[in-house]
Amino acid sequence: MEYADPEPQFDLLIAERLKALRLERGWSLDELSARSGASRATLSRLENGEVSPTASLLGKLCMVYGLTMSRLMRMVEDGFAPLVARADQWIWRDPDSGFERRNVSPPTRGLAGEVLECALKPDAVIQYEGPARSGLEHHLLLVEGRLDILVGGMTHHLHPGDCLRYQLYGPSRFSSPTDSGARYFLFIV
């Protein structure tokens, strides 16, 4: 299933927001590099909109800034509307890992939760070093394919219809071990 981004400039908006977050803290690129483990050159190219961020890099930066990835993406959107039409739902793709996330119900100041529709290509793997906020509550419903999730030191093998509920305190790993990939909804509170 292929969806188009409502805004082709979304990567540039993320780049601008990431640069603003760094400057708000008074950090140099070298300091952000030391805090995130990403190279100074990569961070510079990202902030200048020369490269698109990967899921792994965004995860590291969100951890450094204490934000969920969805919260970061919400920071580049305007306003809050009760109805989020499918055509207006932001889609972000990581071409390196084959990961795609659609913000079905993006975070907002007035609501505690958010809903994401995510897809992994066959044999794709994404890893996060830790949550943006310790104890973040997740409810993951697998819709299609198979998904293996490592969370809390335990690997869970999900099949369509399975729901994994957890609070995230450390690293996590998502992988799709089948030819069909995986599609799932993630509810974050």
Side-chain angles (χ1 to χ4, degrees), residues 29-67:
L29 282 172
D30 289 325
E31 185 167 350
L32 180 57
S33 175
R35 290 174 181 264
S36 67
S39 76
R40 182 190 190 287
T42 297
L43 294 170
S44 176
R45 292 181 68 210
L46 175 63
E47 286 186 3
N48 290 321
E50 297 170 13
V51 296
S52 295
T54 64
S56 176
L57 179 57
L58 273 183
K60 288 177 183 182
L61 293 174
C62 285
M63 200 164 88
V64 168
Y65 292 127
L67 301 168

